[in-house]
Amino acid sequence: MKVVCSIFIGVSAVALLIRARRRAHTRSLPSRYIVRPATAHDVEAIARCWSEAYQDQGPDLMELDPSFLAERTLEGFRPRAYERVGDTLVACDEGGAIVGLCVCVADEVEQFFLSARARGAGVSELLLERGEELLRARGSMVAHLYCMPKNERAMRFYGRCGWRRGDVHAHAVQISGGRTFTLHLMRFEKALRAPPRLVVLTGGSGVGKTTLIERLAAFGHPIVPEAAMQVIAALNGLIGPQGQLAWRTAHKAAFGELLGAVAMAQEAAALSAPGGGAVVFLDRSVLDNLGYARVRGYEPPSFLTPSVVRRTAARLERVFVLDSPSDNHEDLKVRNEQSGRSTDPGDSRHVSGVMHEVYSSLGCETEWLPALPPCERLDLLLARCGLPPATEGSRQRGTEVL
């Protein structure tokens, strides 16, 4: 079975829960930042952000010639901002103020600066990600950037975002009076492969979703298993089915945080897996939490901030909500035994409908996948994803509805 990411839960479920709770206390306020292309009207604000952030690059600045730094001012950055506005992306807060800039030229992230007041809200990752997308759309295969070699905070950030550290390079920079100043900068590179095509399978219990995922994996398609069932299985092993049901009924928010920690880790691994451009099938996504919060009557997990929801939804190519077969009572019985719940077919259909509403409202391309015999349902899914049908051997297997 080709599984993109299989998180070992076991007794580590408790540790994951503790970490999730800690994040709930240390997480910054929900991010409402947006990234957009710059316009000529942004030049002054870009220059101001650029000049302020430039002075916050760590100990390297203390080693630079004062005559060089004297030109890294608001007045000095205005013409540079104007010249590069067509290659600039800006990050804006909810009030429209520019708090970050990313200048992309040829294969290079030429400039990347963020206001100190926007740190810790996830906007730096979003801004750099959009810059990478811009370079990729322009045909870049390998991108590079430079930063001050003693700016440890920036270098750690680039490393977390998948950029590979190289060597220190000398750069000749023209300054006023025809003079040349030499800067020594650390080079980073990153291969810009096509991102995987994420396809979500979702719906209520007993609709055949997990079985369909297993069949996809059997035919070599990359999959991401359902986080909820892994967490539930781990809790079953720790406190038994009835104990885990009682615990997560009484601690819905904590269960949501735990589930989110696993789901987010799995989906991040899927995005960074080799084989760019491949279709990866997700047995639910982290956004299913929004649907279940609506169905069960509790607040969505705190980690699902508006920016996280938008970014996650934008990464999904398609969402298939599996239609409930009329005779799925046995499937529901098995799932209820695994989870400790007592879901009935009516509740299952309601959950499916809510999931369709949630994903559709987020702008995802969402459609129903009808209940069909297994080979037909599998091949229909593959066809709608632009993939060839499963092998003929699969057509000889069973007649149960997936």
Side-chain angles (χ1 to χ4, degrees):
M1 177 183 292
K2 185 177 181 183
V3 180
V4 169
C5 177
S6 182
I7 304 294
F8 175 71
I9 306 295
V11 295
S12 64
V14 175
L16 277 171
L17 177 58
I18 293 172
R19 288 200 295 273
R21 284 175 170 171
R22 285 176 180 168
R23 282 197 304 276
H25 290 290
T26 60
R27 186 179 295 109
S28 60
L29 292 174
S31 174
R32 296 181 176 87
Y33 296 95
I34 64 168
V35 173
R36 60 170 175 80
T39 71
H41 298 291
D42 298 320
V43 168
E44 180 68 19
I46 292 171
R48 189 174 301 280
C49 178
W50 198 344
S51 63
E52 292 174 356
Y54 193 91
Q55 309 304 321
D56 190 24
Q57 297 186 79
D60 297 273
L61 291 186
M62 293 185 292
E63 302 174 6
L64 299 180
D65 191 299
S67 64
F68 174 81
L69 290 177
E71 299 189 8
R72 266 43 189 173
T73 62
L74 177 59
E75 291 73 20
F77 282 114
R78 279 196 188 105
R80 299 180 68 190
Y82 179 78
E83 293 167 0
R84 291 163 171 77
V85 69
D87 294 312
T88 302
L89 299 172
V90 293
C92 305
D93 64 17
E94 59 183 338
I98 290 176
V99 296
L101 64 118
C102 178
V103 181
C104 298
V105 179
D107 295 324
E108 181 181 4
V109 177
E110 186 192 69
Q111 307 292 338
F112 188 85
F113 289 97
L114 188 74
S115 171
R117 68 185 179 88
R119 291 182 191 146
V123 66
S124 54
E125 290 87 347
L126 177 61
L127 181 58
L128 184 58
E129 184 179 283
R130 294 294 183 266
E132 294 171 9
E133 291 174 358
L134 178 59
L135 292 178
R136 186 184 296 114
R138 292 176 174 178
S140 297
M141 299 298 293
V142 179
H144 65 274
L145 57 79
Y146 295 93
C147 78
M148 297 289 188
K150 294 182 181 178
N151 191 344
E152 293 294 338
R153 182 182 63 238
M155 291 193 291
R156 287 195 301 269
F157 165 70
Y158 293 131
R160 288 197 308 271
C161 293
W163 290 74
R164 182 174 57 84
R165 185 185 303 196
D167 299 322
V168 174
H169 293 248
H171 289 257
V173 180
Q174 295 292 322
I175 55 179
S176 63
R179 295 172 297 158
T180 300
F181 187 83
T182 301
L183 278 178
H184 293 88
L185 301 172
M186 179 69 72
R187 181 182 174 97
F188 283 78
E189 291 187 352
K190 183 175 184 178
L192 299 180
R193 60 177 178 79
R197 300 163 53 198
L198 302 185
V199 173
V200 176
L201 304 184
T202 186
S205 296
V207 297
K209 171 183 52 60
T210 301
T211 304
L212 183 55
I213 282 282
E214 291 172 350
R215 287 182 176 267
L216 287 164
F219 286 102
H221 296 285
I223 62 102
V224 174
E226 183 180 356
M229 295 311 295
Q230 296 181 72
V231 174
I232 289 172
L235 292 174
N236 282 343
L238 290 171
I239 54 179
Q242 295 304 315
Q244 65 84 10
L245 177 59
W247 178 84
R248 62 192 179 98
T249 300
H251 303 88
K252 294 176 181 178
F255 178 71
E257 293 284 347
L258 175 57
L259 176 60
V262 177
M264 295 280 280
Q266 293 192 145
E267 291 172 32
L271 284 167
S272 61
V279 177
V280 178
F281 294 94
L282 280 65
D283 189 347
R284 302 195 185 280
S285 87
V286 69
L287 298 181
D288 274 47
N289 282 273
L290 299 176
Y292 275 110
R294 185 187 299 183
V295 171
R296 308 301 181 203
Y298 57 86
E299 289 296 317
S302 58
F303 66 86
L304 282 176
T305 63
S307 64
V308 169
V309 170
R310 286 195 300 269
R311 291 169 62 185
T312 303
R315 293 189 182 116
L316 303 179
E317 179 174 292
R318 302 184 81 170
V319 177
F320 292 94
V321 182
L322 276 67
D323 202 2
S324 300
S326 57
D327 56 349
N328 65 336
H329 296 76
E330 287 301 315
D331 291 331
L332 278 174
K333 180 180 179 181
V334 172
R335 180 55 62 93
N336 287 339
E337 290 174 354
Q338 292 173 336
S339 65
R341 284 202 176 274
S342 56
T343 305
D344 60 37
D347 181 62
S348 176
R349 285 189 290 272
H350 175 60
V351 170
S352 293
V354 170
M355 292 302 177
H356 195 285
E357 293 174 4
V358 166
Y359 280 100
S360 297
S361 70
L362 296 175
C364 300
E365 185 176 341
T366 308
E367 59 183 290
W368 291 97
L369 191 67
L372 295 169
C375 63
E376 295 180 30
R377 200 177 207 185
L378 177 61
D379 283 349
L380 177 60
L381 172 64
L382 294 174
R384 290 185 177 179
C385 294
L387 298 172
T391 64
E392 287 296 320
S394 67
R395 303 182 185 283
Q396 307 301 320
R397 303 178 185 178
T399 56
E400 75 278 10
V401 175
L402 289 179

